[in-house]
Amino acid sequence: MSRDLNDVFEAVLDGVVVVDRDGRIEFLNGEACRMLETSAEAARGAPLAEVVADPVFENLLGSVLETGRPAVQDDRSLPRRSAPDLLVDVAASPLWSEKRVPNGVVLTLSDRTIQRSLAERVAERQRLSAYGTIAAGIAHEVRNPLGGIRGAAEILASRTEEPKLRDAAQLIVREVDRIRSLVDDLMVFHQGEVLNLEPTNIHRVLDDVLELLSMDPLASGVELARSFDPSIPDLRADPDRLTQVFLNLGRNALQALEGKGTLTVETRVALDQRLPSSEGTSLLTVQVCLIDDGPGIQPDVLEQLSTPFYTTRRGGTGLGLALSRHWVALHGGALHLESQPGEGTRARVLLPFDGPPEETA
Ligand SMILES: Nc1ncnc2c1ncn2[C@@H]1O[C@H](COP(=O)(O)OP(=O)(O)O)[C@@H](O)[C@H]1O
Ligand SMILES: [Mg+2]
């Protein structure tokens, strides 16, 4: 049986690059072309350093040619001009001349990007679920006595003639109600594991959210704008949960805007931002952005925002983002906050069209 070696290399899922003793590219397969953003015609004969900017490749090459021993470098970030950076494992092994001198190197590049982003997502889910267990435990303990306290305060309020005492008792009732709604939020981390998935028109959800936001006193003086891609088909999602997610994000934006500026809600099909599926393949996603031109977020604050209870607002609970992340994660999606101080904030929600992969459903 004889096969064309070129066909074999085209079928290999890793990038393969063959470099001669002088560091010039002799051969590269299609996957290597994709990863390095070049074509076989352009790359052949070019110095490797011209095609890959990362000096680590040069160093690997030098060491393999010198020692004749294979070398590997894991987790290299491969910067790219027109596409998101890749995370690759690079292995280099020598090719030998007839006189048993290394006269070339075979580089293989394995794309680890999807695995890494999947691993990050799993880690985040585990973290959220640990918080959820703690939160639900505390919530349960706190919730039980609240009913009793509230009832007792109501009795006091109704039995006393003294205005000061009645005010105090009513204050207790109001504060208990406030704690109870906080506790209910906390329970959601634990109980909110179930989604009611149905074909969902994302624009209908967002129109509802914009309508609710426009009625909020916080919205007075703020322009609410929409930039929708009308071609987006229905997705498999829980419209109630998504409404809550976008309401949380919208309220945060309105609070940051403090009565002036614009909140824009934008949708599009994300071709470049693909979520990894559990099988390691990519999923087509819809991207929803809530963009405000408020004060933005300082980098040290931005870092803390994935922690539940972190808030910079007086009277804030720091649960809005955490709960939103939780619900988006249940959908198999991702929520990112991007911000430059002074240039506003962009909350980006990615949702797979087909709903959560089986493992999270
Ligand atoms: N659009 C935004 N602009 C500026 N800061 C924001 C924005 N969205 C969220 N934040 C910051 O994130 C923090 C946490 O938000 P969140 O989890 O909703 O809790 P809370 O709204 O109760 O403070 C806020 O206190 C605020 O500092
Ligand atoms: Mg909030």
Side-chain angles (χ1 to χ4, degrees), residues 153-154 156-157 160 164-174:
E154 270 180 333
L156 284 178
T160 180
K164 262 202 165 147
L165 272 183
R166 193 169 341 114
D167 286 352
Q170 279 163 353
L171 178 73
I172 295 175
V173 172
R174 280 201 308 278

Side-chain angles (χ1 to χ4, degrees), residues 248 251-252 255 313 317-321:
N248 285 345
R251 288 229 171 82
N252 281 351
Q255 278 152 358
R313 287 192 308 110
T317 62
L319 282 176
L321 283 176

